[in-house]
Amino acid sequence: MGNHPASKERDQNVIRIEPWGKDDLDILKKTLGDPTITRYLGGPESDEQLARRQVRYERLTDEGKGRMFKIIHVATGEAVGSVGYWDTNHNGEDIYETGWLVLPTFQGQGIASRATALAIAQARLDGKYRFLHAFPSVENQPSNAVCRKLGFTLIEECEFEYPKGHFMRCNDWRIDLSVDNAKLA
């Protein structure tokens, strides 16, 4: 059974998430510093912006404002992306917002879905907010597919500012953390 080709492929794509640490600036540079990965996010961030973001990610959990994780590809031990959730206010309601990024060579393998499912489970355990939202660009079909796959509900299309000063059309996806409705990826 374990020698079946589908089993081997699945085994090659096993991931885990680990808390963001002080040595994780490199994965930020590979993701948020990359023009291909950030095409739906207003483009790559500068080294200065990435350094500031690294500090924010390191402090997020200690400040009780969410959690960031690096996505680890178990077979190689390599960091292949990031996933997390953080406090925000949307339409007058305090919520968690979530987001994920996966390196291009690891995209299309279900890694973002599995990592996001793990982050949702952690947000549910934290129990701070009832709702977790994702705001992928309406043009970002892979991220919208992750939301559908994991059981998010599409609330509406909206205008969203990210990064500061850059507005884009996004889908507002929401999942209720008070019930265990997240589908396993």
Side-chain angles (χ1 to χ4, degrees):
M1 189 188 291
N3 291 330
H4 189 273
S7 287
K8 287 182 181 179
E9 183 178 321
R10 227 181 353 266
D11 291 346
Q12 289 300 308
N13 293 316
V14 172
I15 57 101
R16 68 177 183 271
I17 58 174
E18 294 181 357
W20 201 265
K22 62 180 178 60
D23 297 325
D24 294 330
L25 180 60
D26 187 52
I27 193 66
L28 269 182
K29 288 181 178 182
K30 289 178 181 177
T31 54
L32 285 171
D34 181 274
T36 302
I37 293 177
T38 59
R39 69 187 171 277
Y40 300 114
L41 299 173
E45 294 186 0
S46 69
D47 285 345
E48 183 180 307
Q49 290 169 312
L50 292 170
R52 285 195 307 263
R53 183 177 294 277
Q54 171 67 22
V55 171
R56 284 195 312 272
Y57 282 6
E58 287 177 42
R59 293 180 179 165
L60 198 59
T61 302
D62 290 341
E63 293 175 352
K65 296 181 179 178
R67 296 178 190 268
M68 281 306 297
F69 303 95
K70 60 187 167 197
I71 303 168
I72 303 297
H73 185 255
V74 172
T76 64
E78 179 183 358
V80 298
S82 64
V83 65
Y85 55 91
W86 49 91
D87 293 0
T88 195
N89 187 285
H90 180 65
N91 293 335
E93 181 181 7
D94 290 332
I95 61 164
Y96 278 134
E97 179 181 342
T98 188
W100 53 86
L101 297 166
V102 174
L103 296 174
T105 55
F106 291 90
Q107 292 176 1
Q109 301 172 34
I111 290 172
S113 295
R114 288 193 298 281
T116 303
L118 292 171
I120 290 168
Q122 183 60 57
R124 184 173 282 118
L125 287 173
D126 286 353
K128 186 173 181 180
Y129 298 120
R130 179 175 176 188
F131 295 112
L132 179 136
H133 289 248
F135 299 96
S137 165
V138 296
E139 298 172 4
N140 187 340
Q141 293 308 311
S143 284
N144 283 285
V146 167
C147 293
R148 275 189 297 280
K149 181 177 183 179
L150 294 178
F152 282 75
T153 299
L154 179 59
I155 303 299
E156 66 181 348
E157 190 174 303
C158 61
E159 189 154 64
F160 196 80
E161 184 178 18
Y162 184 87
K164 292 283 185 201
H166 178 263
F167 290 88
M168 59 183 183
R169 294 300 297 167
C170 291
N171 285 321
D172 176 3
W173 292 92
R174 180 179 77 186
I175 196 162
D176 187 339
L177 297 173
S178 70
V179 294
D180 193 3
N181 57 356
K183 298 176 184 176
L184 294 178

